[in-house]
């Protein structure tokens, strides 16, 4: 069996990004003395959503891509999917902290989530086409 080494490489980088997002939430909670929720603090609320949005999307995409990689999907496609996911997950926080209507918001939040969903759908369709019994 082919090990998903390309996926694992990107996953390691994504895990470091996830740790940074978690530490950001923890730091904001500590600075604002908030144990639960967001205490109506906009910056903390945004950090919580960035962290949650990451964990809502990344695992399923990574799992799909790892399955595709182990089944022999070309390395270029795996790099495109995982590189796109990494880019999307870097863009999204930028947009979450930007004011609506600014280019940072559009490129970051909107672009990040559109790219994430596009990669999710692409990986899912790739898996369906690859594993559908014929």
């Amino acid at each position: 069996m082919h090990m998903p080494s390309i996926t694992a490489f990107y996953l390691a980088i994504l895990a470091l990004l996830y740790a940074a997002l978690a530490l950001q939430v923890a730091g904001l909670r500590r600075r604002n003395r908030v144990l639960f929720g967001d205490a109506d603090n906009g910056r903390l609320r945004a950090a919580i959503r960035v962290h949650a949005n990451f964990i809502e999307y990344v695992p399923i995409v990574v799992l799909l891509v790892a399955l595709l990689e182990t089944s022999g999907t070309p390395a270029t496609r795996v790099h495109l999917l995982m590189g796109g996911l990494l880019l999307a997950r870097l863009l999204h926080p930028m947009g979450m902290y930007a004011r609506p209507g600014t280019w940072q918001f559009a490129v970051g939040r909107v672009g990040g989530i559109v790219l994430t969903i596009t990669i999710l759908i692409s990986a899912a369709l790739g898996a369906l086409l690859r594993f559908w019994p014929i």
Side-chain angles (χ1 to χ4, degrees), residues 13-31 34 43-44 46-55 89 93 97:
I13 296 168
L14 287 162
L16 293 173
L17 177 57
Y18 184 69
L21 295 173
L23 290 170
Q24 182 178 29
V25 171
L28 285 168
R29 285 189 184 285
R30 188 173 192 179
R31 271 193 298 283
V34 177
R43 185 140 178 95
L44 177 55
I48 291 168
R49 282 308 312 147
V50 166
H51 181 253
N53 188 275
F54 185 102
I55 206 64
R89 297 293 86 200
Y97 298 120

Side-chain angles (χ1 to χ4, degrees), residues 17-117:
L17 177 57
Y18 184 69
L21 295 173
L23 290 170
Q24 182 178 29
V25 171
L28 285 168
R29 285 189 184 285
R30 188 173 192 179
R31 271 193 298 283
N32 294 288
R33 296 182 177 166
V34 177
L35 293 176
F36 301 102
D38 60 28
D40 206 26
N41 180 304
R43 185 140 178 95
L44 177 55
R45 184 178 312 113
I48 291 168
R49 282 308 312 147
V50 166
H51 181 253
N53 188 275
F54 185 102
I55 206 64
E56 290 164 359
Y57 287 99
V58 170
I60 190 75
V61 173
V62 171
L63 180 58
L64 281 167
V65 176
L67 291 170
L68 289 170
E69 184 178 359
T70 59
S71 72
T73 295
T76 303
R77 178 156 169 76
V78 175
H79 278 292
L80 284 172
L81 290 167
M82 291 303 294
L85 180 63
L86 178 58
L87 176 62
R89 297 293 86 200
L90 288 169
L91 286 173
H92 186 257
M94 180 179 79
M96 285 293 291
Y97 298 120
R99 222 175 52 249
T102 63
W103 72 270
Q104 293 96 334
F105 181 87
V107 170
R109 187 168 184 196
V110 177
I113 198 61
V114 166
L115 185 54
T116 299
I117 297 294

